[in-house]
């Protein structure tokens, strides 16, 4: 398998075609991803006592296949090194610096003392605090610590989508803790079902607050600039109404590229008419949460997103996830 690998963004839920750098169909063999430099570099690490997963830097391309059997179809590619038409994914830009990797909590965020967000097994998630407080608890861990961002989430989604070959993570990986029973410890056996390459509880159990994405008063997406400055850019792209994620936004302009993330451009009332198979909510002047909670059933998944709550809202069903740059 070449180091440049991609996937056709399908128009229906199910298996999507993986492609090489030129857009030709490929069928990766078992073990090919383990040998790929980017995927091979994803590994568990403990930093300052927190259980994390390292995600190495990669470059991405989002656009149409230029020629061949899939000419004109929308696709995504990743590369472990610079290549023509590729850009460093914005998850690896931070205040003017290019990062060799970021670290994300192995577990959904857990309490760490009275004022910090942690990532520890055996505990229930830290919940019942609002968005600014969750941000502050993450930052209190020290230099470089943060609440995970929309770009870090998107980097994980991009790599996982290409490896799974489908956006239906529940079908590809496991159901997760989505069928009732209340909030469980972050390493509960049902929560662990929703694990990709060591990153545990990516959906289900509790919603996970995500920094760097909001809606404005007109329900248009606001997102952190791709330069890593963590300043918000107005995209003028309206979020669709509540429904099943059908088509993703790929708009691009000064300071932003929605092709780097997974935000719905359109939704449908029927899951069978969606492509990504996960549910989406939107509301004016809202912050973002990802993944769904213990009772969301098939709504939940790797692409389940809720940009529908005020930053001041707190709930026993809303938590977060720690990250470090």
């Amino acid at each position: 398998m070449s180091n440049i690998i991609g996937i056709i963004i399908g128009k229906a839920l199910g298996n999507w075609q993986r492609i090489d750098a030129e857009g030709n169909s490929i069928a990766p063999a078992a073990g090919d991803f383990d040998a790929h430099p980017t995927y091979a570099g994803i590994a568990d690490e403990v930093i300052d006592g927190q259980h994390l997963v390292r995600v190495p830097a990669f470059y991405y391309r989002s656009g149409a296949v230029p020629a061949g059997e899939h000419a004109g179809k929308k696709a995504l590619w990743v590369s472990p090194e610079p290549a023509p038409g590729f850009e460093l994914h914005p998850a690896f830009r931070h205040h003017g610096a290019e990062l060799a990797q970021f670290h994300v909590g192995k577990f959904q965020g857990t309490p760490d003392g009275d004022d910090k967000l942690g990532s520890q097994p055996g505990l229930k998630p830290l919940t019942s605090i609002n968005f600014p407080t969750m941000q502050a608890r993450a930052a209190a861990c020290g230099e470089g610590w943060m609440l995970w961002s929309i770009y870090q989430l998107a980097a994980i989604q991009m790599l996982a989508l290409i490896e799974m070959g489908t956006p239906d993570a529940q079908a590809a990986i496991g159901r997760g803790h989505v069928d009732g029973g209340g909030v469980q410890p972050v390493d509960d056996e049902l929560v662990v079902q929703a694990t990709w390459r060591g990153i545990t509880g990516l959906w289900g159990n509790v919603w996970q607050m995500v920094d760097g994405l909001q809606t404005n008063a007109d329900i248009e997406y606001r997102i952190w600039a791709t330069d890593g400055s963590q300043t918000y850019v107005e995209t003028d792209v309206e979020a669709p109404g509540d429904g099943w994620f059908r088509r993703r936004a790929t708009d691009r302009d000064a300071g932003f590229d929605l092709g780097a993330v997974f935000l719905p451009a359109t939704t449908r009332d029927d899951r069978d008419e969606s492509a990504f198979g996960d549910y989406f909510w939107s509301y004016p002047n809202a912050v973002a949460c990802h993944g769904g909670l213990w009772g969301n059933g098939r709504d939940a998944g790797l692409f389940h997103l809720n940009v529908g709550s005020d930053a001041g809202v707190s709930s026993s069903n809303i938590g977060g996830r720690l990250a470090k740059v």
Side-chain angles (χ1 to χ4, degrees), residues 22-237:
E22 288 73 39
N24 302 309
S25 295
I26 59 172
D32 281 352
F33 285 95
D34 291 338
H36 186 279
T38 301
Y39 291 88
I42 301 171
D44 287 12
E45 290 189 5
V46 177
I47 300 177
D48 296 345
Q50 304 298 343
H51 294 256
L52 308 174
V53 176
R54 181 184 71 243
V55 180
F58 65 85
Y59 298 77
Y60 79 102
R61 177 183 166 199
S62 175
V65 177
E69 60 179 313
H70 299 298
K73 294 181 180 179
K74 294 180 179 179
L76 276 172
W77 293 263
V78 298
S79 171
E81 56 194 8
F86 284 72
E87 299 176 56
L88 182 67
H89 194 277
F92 306 100
R93 296 187 185 278
H94 183 69
H95 294 299
E98 294 187 356
L99 306 175
Q101 71 277 311
F102 68 81
H103 291 81
V104 66
K106 180 175 179 64
F107 304 106
Q108 295 174 350
T110 54
D112 187 357
D114 294 331
D115 61 354
K116 293 180 182 179
L117 179 65
S119 181
Q120 299 288 339
L123 302 176
K124 287 190 175 182
L126 174 62
T127 63
S128 301
I129 58 176
N130 63 23
F131 199 95
T133 304
M134 190 70 76
Q135 289 174 305
R137 296 280 182 96
C141 294
E143 181 68 25
W145 293 93
M146 59 187 288
L147 177 65
W148 73 333
S149 76
I150 189 64
Y151 289 126
Q152 292 162 347
L153 168 62
I156 293 164
Q157 290 172 316
M158 195 173 291
L159 294 173
L161 174 63
I162 293 172
E163 182 173 19
M164 293 187 303
T166 176
D168 192 349
Q170 284 195 12
I173 294 177
R175 181 72 167 173
H177 179 37
V178 299
D179 293 316
V183 178
Q184 299 299 316
V186 295
D187 56 351
D188 176 83
E189 62 180 351
L190 290 177
V191 178
V192 171
Q193 287 180 6
T195 298
W196 176 78
R197 289 198 171 258
I199 308 172
T200 302
L202 277 168
W203 59 91
N205 201 33
V206 294
W207 285 103
Q208 298 164 71
M209 298 177 188
V210 177
D211 214 344
L213 176 68
Q214 301 175 353
T215 52
N216 64 18
D218 296 319
I219 324 184
E220 296 169 338
Y221 294 121
R222 306 177 68 235
I223 195 168
W224 277 354
T226 53
D227 63 6
S229 62
Q230 297 184 359
T231 56
Y232 278 94
V233 178
E234 300 288 344
T235 68
D236 297 326
V237 176

Side-chain angles (χ1 to χ4, degrees), residues 275-305:
F276 285 83
D278 294 337
Y279 209 78
F280 174 75
W281 282 273
S282 62
Y283 200 75
N285 296 317
V287 293
C289 295
H290 170 262
L293 56 85
W294 51 265
N296 278 143
R298 68 176 187 170
D299 289 11
L302 187 60
F303 299 96
H304 192 32
L305 189 64

Side-chain angles (χ1 to χ4, degrees), residues 306-319:
N306 183 346
V307 196
S309 296
D310 181 87
V313 170
S314 63
S315 167
S316 60
N317 294 319
I318 303 176

